[in-house]
Amino acid sequence: MSDTRDTQRSGAGPVDSDLVSLDAGELARRIHAGEVSSVEVTRAHLERIEAVDGGIHAFLHLDAEGALAAAEAADRAIADGGPVSPLAGVPVAVKDNLTTTDMPTTCGSRILSGWRPPYDATVVKRLRAAGLVPLGKTNLDEFAMGSSTENSAFGPTRNPWDTTRIPGGSGGGSSASVAAGESPLALGSDTGGSIRQPGAVTGTVGVKPTYGTVSRYGLVAFSSSLDQVGPCARSVLDAALLHEVVGGHDPCDQTSVDAPLPPVVEAALAGARGDLAGVRVGVVAEFSGEGYQPGVLAAFTDAVRTLGELGAEVVEVSCPAFSYALPAYYLIAPSEASSNLARFDAMRYGLRVGDDGEHAADEVMSLTREAGFGAEVKRRIMIGTHALSAGSYDALYGKAQKARTLIVRDFTAAFETCDVLVSPTTPTTAFPLGERTDDPLAMYLADLCTIPSNLAGNAALSVPCGLSADDGLPVGLQVMAPALADDRAYRVAAAYEVARGAGDHPRIPELRALETSR
């Protein structure tokens, strides 16, 4: 099975191809003003997917019929003149580890190939209730374990800027769909950087909200204390608009924070006015030096200079415990994964191998997990099971949790003197496909800068900060804010985006070479 895409065509004629280059806010404005219909916008994106996704492979499943039906419903609601959400009628892509009743949810794994959930994730319900138009499900590293989307059982996604390179991971499908003009918006999940790192290497905006402020109900669990759903977009304001749609308390999620959502849209609009006077920005000293690509550091330095020119006070801060983040993460996350993935036992749902009447239940379970899980998932299950074993718990998992506490303390100390912290989102630009597949440690280093915010649970986002002089590929600026202060990150990122002159035109690379008749 190479993918699970369903590409029903509507049979309609050609539409305005310029629609796929507009950001979500502008599309919503035109739809609500009656200048264009949601059906036309949706059809334009479906045709874009048909034209270029053969070379990108951002989508695992495409539901054209369902998308057009949702678009028609949005057009009717807008025409009726009643209250509608600001993004009603705008298409959106959904990462394939969020449950959907009308499309398969595979998590990029053979063990869930073709599985259709009996319920929608809370964030998907909120998309539908707000009148957005789900186009399909996007590719990911299997069970969101990876930094390149090469661990998908259904083949890798390619970076629209250079199709010989990775689009980041685990949510490379979502970020690539936005970068390639296949969807103006997407949802992803971020466990160690899986929204922000793909955003950085594809030139898009990716946001990890404060842990617990966006529901995880219906998100297939990888590491429950780290996983967080968030938006992918072409602009900071678009991300804020989507964040506002999906965020907020959910009684179905026991880790959901019962507190008002930070005013992220207002913050993005305020930031777009370009004034950061009174904002204190801390540059994390530990996120530089050896291992960082010169072009990435140069772009980051330019971005910090721009923040100063916008009126921010820029200071250097030291967070020494951040050096423990990577090893701590790769004990905590696999430990939680080994527990969460125990449910895939061939007894309740998904793949079943060896059920021929000659194998006992434990043999069926073993055969199924052997055939259904990929190499990286097996690696992390084994690491996690070992870390939780009686002889290793205190020495490994226990120490990792202590390191996590130190990281939280470093953030707390830094935010006592700074409003936000900044760093490069990733140490390098997108690396070539296949370059790190045989070197897990090198692959894990792609998340070096993003992991601390997952361990601490605070808000963080990545905003494009230009192209590396080394290779002409996108670089991301990471902005980190305290828990429940997501609005600070949005304000700073929006101000920087406008100062760069990037907020008025989406950054979609040319893909003419990929367009084919399919």
Side-chain angles (χ1 to χ4, degrees), residues 6-8 46 61-68 102-103 134-137:
D6 174 10
T7 54
Q8 307 102 301
L46 291 171
H61 183 89
L62 183 65
D63 182 13
E65 183 177 335
L68 290 170
D102 54 351
M103 291 179 277
L135 296 170
K137 308 293 287 292

Side-chain angles (χ1 to χ4, degrees), residues 29-102:
R29 186 198 68 75
R30 294 190 185 191
I31 292 169
H32 295 191
E35 297 174 15
V36 66
S37 70
S38 176
V39 169
E40 290 175 305
V41 170
T42 300
R43 188 175 292 124
H45 285 88
L46 291 171
E47 292 186 355
R48 175 68 167 180
I49 293 167
E50 186 174 9
V52 305
D53 203 53
I56 299 296
H57 192 44
F59 284 87
L60 291 180
H61 183 89
L62 183 65
D63 182 13
E65 183 177 335
L68 290 170
E72 290 173 359
D75 283 335
R76 288 194 298 270
I78 293 168
D80 288 344
V84 293
S85 85
L87 290 177
V90 177
V92 61
V94 178
K95 190 176 181 179
D96 197 30
N97 59 350
L98 290 161
T99 57
T100 47
T101 57
D102 54 351

Side-chain angles (χ1 to χ4, degrees), residues 268-350:
L269 292 171
R273 291 194 283 271
D275 181 11
L276 293 181
V279 176
R280 193 171 172 90
V281 175
V283 178
V284 180
E286 283 71 19
F287 289 150
S288 63
E290 185 179 355
Y292 286 78
Q293 190 172 315
V296 169
L297 289 178
F300 172 68
T301 300
D302 287 345
V304 171
R305 184 182 303 112
T306 298
L307 295 177
E309 292 169 353
L310 290 169
E313 180 184 357
V314 179
V315 298
E316 185 175 279
V317 298
S318 179
C319 298
F322 283 13
S323 62
Y324 305 138
L326 194 68
Y329 174 87
Y330 279 103
L331 287 170
I332 294 170
S335 296
E336 295 184 7
S338 72
S339 176
N340 280 325
L341 270 63
R343 72 193 65 180
F344 302 106
D345 57 6
M347 300 296 123
R348 285 167 281 193
Y349 42 72

